[in-house]
Amino acid sequence: MVTSFVILILGFAALVWSADRFVYGAAALAKNFGVPTLIVGLTVVAMGSSAPEMMVSASAALANKTDTAVGNAVGSNITNILLVLGITALFRPLSVSSSTLKREMPLVMLVSLATWYVFSDNYFSFSEGVALLVGFIVFIGGLIIVSMRAKNKDDPFVSEACDDVPNDVPTKKAVFWLIVGMILLPVSSHFLIGSAVDIAKYFGLSDLVIGLTIIAIGTSLPELAASVAGVLKNEDDLALGNIVGSNIFNILAVLPLAGIINPSAIDPSLVSRDILIMIGATLALIIMSLNFRGTQRINRVEGGLLLIAFLGYQGYIFSQVG
């Protein structure tokens, strides 16, 4: 069991590092081929924080662990809001001013409700996976069009995505890191899933629970690091943007992989418990961010409440084991 935990930790570390290298290489290569910075920033770079979730969900689905795959996506969304946002707000209250975030927050709720509808029959079909993926393509296309037409070109959410696009990277170097990422991403996710399954069996955890807890928390670590770093640099919208963007990507880009690769029945607890928690957390995020007090900020008290809710949720899940 100690070996499984060591492999799990190393797998997470390798997964996050290889995802970063893959995104770096892909973004630099796209830039070298003349793809506009805005498009690279809002596609390749913006998806970077969700790359670990995508690989883990794909690997889990290929291993016939669809519950783990969907649990990872849903659990990551819950973790992003309750844990990541909670901890970030405790460091410093977050002000909300980005027009991009204000447009996307209602979308987070919409896709969360769509998730509940998709799984309401406790089955994830191939066509449902494709439908969500089409929604992702439409979302990215719409985001690019709106950003290009926006009068305010200084939207911090868009600016950060563009600023993260690497410049003046030699094509050979970009190809090298792209290949390294392409090799290590599936390898690290394979070992991560294998060790997680061993741990789940040892403690009597279901495939869904292991996805909602250990894997979801691990794959959300990049969002935690990025959000805390953002708020410490007084870039509140960027910190919140990591969470909002990641949650949309998790539902529209990560979740579909499970249905497309391995359509199957889903643990009923996902609909009756976890997706409802995700919707509730999303509603709390919207109320706190776009509240009616006129302050439009998430304070430390609210951050503390989110963190307490996360601990309570995790405690409830594990209390149901066995």
Side-chain angles (χ1 to χ4, degrees), residues 65-98:
K65 300 289 182 181
T66 304
D67 278 340
T68 299
V70 298
N72 174 41
V74 173
S76 291
N77 279 17
I78 295 172
T79 302
N80 282 345
I81 296 176
L82 299 184
L83 177 64
V84 175
L85 182 59
I87 291 177
T88 303
L90 286 176
F91 273 91
R92 193 173 68 82
L94 290 86
S95 298
V96 184
S97 60
S98 169

Side-chain angles (χ1 to χ4, degrees), residues 92 160 226 228-236 238:
R92 193 173 68 82
E160 175 68 7
V228 171
V231 77
L232 290 179
K233 292 187 293 184
N234 294 325
E235 297 172 336
D236 295 8
L238 303 182

Side-chain angles (χ1 to χ4, degrees), residues 186-205:
V187 172
S188 57
S189 61
H190 171 76
F191 281 101
L192 190 154
I193 291 297
S195 61
V197 169
D198 290 339
I199 294 171
K201 289 180 179 179
Y202 182 83
F203 288 104
L205 305 177

Side-chain angles (χ1 to χ4, degrees), residues 5-6 17 52 58 68 142 155 157 167 189 197 208 233 236 253 292 304:
F5 272 108
V6 171
W17 183 81
T68 299
D155 188 296
F157 181 69
N167 292 307
S189 61
V197 169
L208 177 62
K233 292 187 293 184
D236 295 8
F292 303 102

